[in-house]
Amino acid sequence: MQKNLFAILKGEFLTNKDASKNWSYILFCTLLAIIMIASSHTAEKKVFKVAELNQEIQELRSEFVDSRKRLMQLKMESNIAEMMKPKGIFTSDQPAIKIVIESDESN
């Protein structure tokens, strides 16, 4: 057993007569390891991109809510009246009068 262990440590399995079989297996394992590492990096990049996009969604949602709140405040009648005072436009004290026109259908 000690002989086999020293043979492996010395690398004799790479130089003996069956070395081509061992080299092809080593190259195959190396290729699989490279593919696995590349796949891992790609998945990690996607996870970071998803996290970044989720953060951007939260920021945009917050901005949307803030904009909608400001719009609602600007549309209030009291705010519009305040903005029109410098221009000399005021709200009417009298309610609107409905004008009804009766048409003569005998023509």
Side-chain angles (χ1 to χ4, degrees), residues 12 25 28 39 63 89 105:
E12 290 178 9
Y25 182 71
F28 175 72
S39 151
E63 184 180 334
I89 301 174
E105 295 185 24

Side-chain angles (χ1 to χ4, degrees), residues 36-97:
M36 187 176 78
I37 291 170
S39 151
S40 169
H41 283 287
T42 304
E44 192 173 314
K45 283 181 186 178
K46 287 180 182 179
V47 166
F48 283 132
K49 183 70 173 175
V50 166
E52 181 181 310
L53 290 174
N54 280 333
Q55 179 67 28
E56 187 177 345
I57 286 172
Q58 288 177 349
E59 290 173 5
L60 290 173
R61 190 173 287 145
S62 173
E63 184 180 334
F64 167 72
V65 169
D66 186 48
S67 298
R68 186 171 58 182
K69 180 184 122 188
R70 281 188 279 133
L71 176 65
M72 294 292 276
Q73 288 175 348
L74 288 173
K75 286 174 36 175
M76 291 175 58
E77 185 180 349
S78 59
N79 287 339
I80 293 174
E82 284 293 321
M83 288 188 284
M84 292 297 121
K85 275 184 184 177
K87 297 179 181 181
I89 301 174
F90 299 98
T91 56
S92 176
D93 294 336
Q94 302 172 1
I97 300 171

Side-chain angles (χ1 to χ4, degrees), residues 3-42:
K3 251 185 185 180
N4 290 336
L5 183 61
F6 282 129
I8 291 173
L9 289 176
K10 288 180 181 179
E12 290 178 9
F13 68 96
L14 298 174
T15 58
N16 64 9
K17 62 182 176 182
D18 294 332
S20 64
K21 182 171 55 171
N22 294 336
W23 277 107
S24 62
Y25 182 71
I26 290 172
L27 289 175
F28 175 72
C29 289
T30 305
L31 178 68
L32 286 179
I34 290 171
I35 291 172
M36 187 176 78
I37 291 170
S39 151
S40 169
H41 283 287
T42 304

